[in-house]
Amino acid sequence: VLSIPETEGRFACFESISWWKQKRLQEAKILVVGAGALGNEVIKNLALLGVGNVLIVDFDTIEKSNLSRSVLFRESSEGLPKAECAAKAAKEIYADMDVRFIHGNVMADLGYGWFTWADIIIGALDNREARLFLNKASYYAQRPWLDGGIDIFNGIARGFNPPKSSCYECTMSKADWDLVEKRRSCSLIARKAFTNQGTPTTPTQASIIAAVQVQEALKYLHGMEYLEGEGYIFEGINHSSYKTEF
């Protein structure tokens, strides 16, 4: 006698994929650094996929201008830590997720132990200095990390796993290093002004690049080839995209 379940499981659609391992996702540990527009989309996707263990790190608080680009925040969230609100929203999407947060600076408040804890790290950062630290920490922990960057209609997702692949520093030009030095300037006023300039972003581009980052993490967790030492570049004006090695 054929037994037909009355209701499908939460992840039944995913589990119909021949190679899918939902248990692997439930056991996965992912460190997400950055809970802005890009980080919001990354965290949302991880919750929808049923990733079991996530740590979110961000030092910033929510401003009204964040509400137009961040799916996990609400008007009542204004003034609260981004990491805390993102963690709470992820838990509301997927109650079985063990999601934690650190309201702090990844370069000063996150111990290396968290990098070794993670299976893979996803960076949703907006500055090169923090990316350099993330690259160094991931190297010492021997964990791959996925970088994402967005700028209006353009975006890029890249995978780093040194020494197996090129590292983030390998991709930096002289202009990039000049920007890092400006952020490290001894003039506190100049540094704050530079930091607060920001980069214009849109929620649509954040959705695209975050989706690529999470998809690459999904492939890595399933033992598939992913963007290791490669980058995916999307140009939204002409809807052109391509993959490149570095």
Side-chain angles (χ1 to χ4, degrees):
V1 178
L2 180 62
S3 176
I4 301 175
E6 293 183 7
T7 58
E8 290 185 333
R10 181 184 181 102
F11 304 110
C13 183
F14 303 155
E15 290 168 335
S16 66
I17 301 170
S18 61
W19 49 264
W20 194 273
K21 298 175 182 176
Q22 191 63 43
K23 188 174 185 295
R24 177 69 184 99
L25 296 185
Q26 179 62 40
E27 295 172 348
K29 294 172 286 188
I30 298 182
L31 169 59
V32 180
V33 184
L38 194 59
N40 263 240
E41 293 293 331
V42 166
I43 295 159
K44 175 206 73 178
N45 286 334
L46 294 177
L48 290 174
L49 287 167
V51 171
N53 306 278
V54 174
L55 173 67
I56 303 166
V57 182
D58 195 295
F59 71 91
D60 209 355
T61 55
I62 298 169
E63 299 177 357
K64 194 166 187 177
S65 61
N66 299 137
L67 301 179
S68 63
R69 296 167 290 134
S70 305
V71 68
L72 302 180
F73 301 155
R74 301 293 180 264
E75 287 191 11
S76 59
S77 307
E78 193 173 347
L80 298 176
K82 288 182 178 179
E84 180 181 2
C85 291
K88 181 181 178 181
K91 190 75 172 177
E92 290 174 353
I93 295 172
Y94 181 42
D96 288 337
M97 176 186 279
D98 180 6
V99 56
R100 309 177 192 186
F101 71 90
I102 293 177
H103 175 54
N105 188 318
V106 65
M107 295 185 288
D109 302 312
L110 185 65
Y112 277 111
W114 283 111
F115 288 89
T116 57
W117 166 86
D119 294 313
I120 190 168
I121 298 128
I122 300 180
L125 296 160
D126 62 359
N127 73 82
R128 293 160 182 80
E129 190 175 12
R131 285 185 174 99
L132 284 169
F133 175 82
L134 202 60
N135 187 76
K136 179 181 177 181
S138 299
Y139 169 76
Y140 285 126
Q142 293 295 283
R143 295 292 188 271
W145 72 285
L146 297 163
D147 176 46
I150 52 176
D151 181 1
I152 310 179
F153 286 136
N154 302 319
I156 183 171
R158 299 179 289 187
F160 301 101
N161 192 16
K164 294 181 181 178
S165 75
S166 301
C167 66
Y168 173 71
E169 293 181 7
C170 301
T171 70
M172 292 180 62
S173 65
K174 183 180 182 302
D176 291 320
W177 283 110
D178 288 344
L179 288 171
V180 169
E181 291 307 313
K182 286 181 181 179
R183 289 186 65 89
R184 292 174 175 170
S185 169
C186 59
S187 171
L188 183 60
I189 295 176
R191 181 172 178 173
K192 284 184 176 180
F194 181 83
T195 302
N196 291 333
Q197 286 176 2
T199 301
T201 59
T202 62
T204 51
Q205 202 61 19
S207 296
I208 293 168
I209 298 304
V212 174
Q213 288 180 279
V214 174
Q215 182 162 278
E216 293 307 305
L218 187 66
K219 288 156 65 177
Y220 172 79
L221 292 170
H222 279 85
M224 303 167 67
E225 290 187 6
Y226 69 105
L227 284 177
E228 183 178 78
E230 295 180 318
Y232 170 85
I233 299 172
F234 181 80
E235 296 175 345
I237 294 294
N238 299 313
H239 290 281
S240 60
S241 61
Y242 57 94
K243 192 163 72 171
T244 182
E245 293 184 4
F246 45 78

